């Protein structure tokens, strides 16, 4: 019985490990001119939550006083064949 309970608890703990909304590694990308997405500024890549990434991106936009800027946050991003691939992106 104790073994079964231990397995259930371990399963529950592991099932929360890939919760995209609340944990993981988020990367931020700021576009100083929203009409030209070929130019971006990295906002970092170690944010624990989407909200942390959003706050960092908005802080960069405010501190540079960019009027036409935009941003996006990517979850579990990695470079493959020269392209940045993210498991999920969000604004």
């Amino acid at each position: 019985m104790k073994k079964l309970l231990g397995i259930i608890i371990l399963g529950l703990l592991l099932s929360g490990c890939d919760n995209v909304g609340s944990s993981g590694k988020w990367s931020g990308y700021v576009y100083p001119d929203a009409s030209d997405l070929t130019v971006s500024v990295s906002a970092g890549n170690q944010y624990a939550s989407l909200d942390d990434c959003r706050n960092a991106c908005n802080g960069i936009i405010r501190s540079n006083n960019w009027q036409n800027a935009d941003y996006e946050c990517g979850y579990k991003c990695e470079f493959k064949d020269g392209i940045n691939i993210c498991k999920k992106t969000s604004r």
Side-chain angles (χ1 to χ4, degrees):
M1 185 68 174
K2 286 183 182 180
K3 254 187 183 178
L4 180 60
L5 183 59
I7 291 171
I8 291 171
I9 290 172
L10 180 61
L12 290 173
L13 290 173
L14 292 176
S15 69
C17 287
D18 198 42
N19 185 345
V20 173
S22 64
S23 66
K25 301 235 167 128
W26 287 89
S27 304
Y29 308 92
V30 177
Y31 305 99
D33 181 356
S35 64
D36 182 6
L37 301 182
T38 63
V39 178
S40 65
V41 174
S42 173
N45 61 0
Q46 297 298 311
Y47 299 104
S49 70
L50 176 56
D51 283 339
D52 289 344
C53 180
R54 287 175 175 157
N55 290 335
C57 291
N58 282 316
I60 290 171
I61 291 169
R62 277 191 307 275
S63 68
N64 287 287
N65 201 27
W66 289 329
Q67 300 300 311
N68 190 34
D70 201 1
Y71 71 90
E72 69 179 337
C73 293
Y75 180 71
K76 290 191 177 180
C77 300
E78 63 180 76
F79 279 98
K80 281 189 178 178
D81 301 322
I83 299 171
N84 194 26
I85 308 283
C86 301
K87 187 172 182 177
K88 176 180 174 138
T89 58
S90 186
R91 185 172 185 293

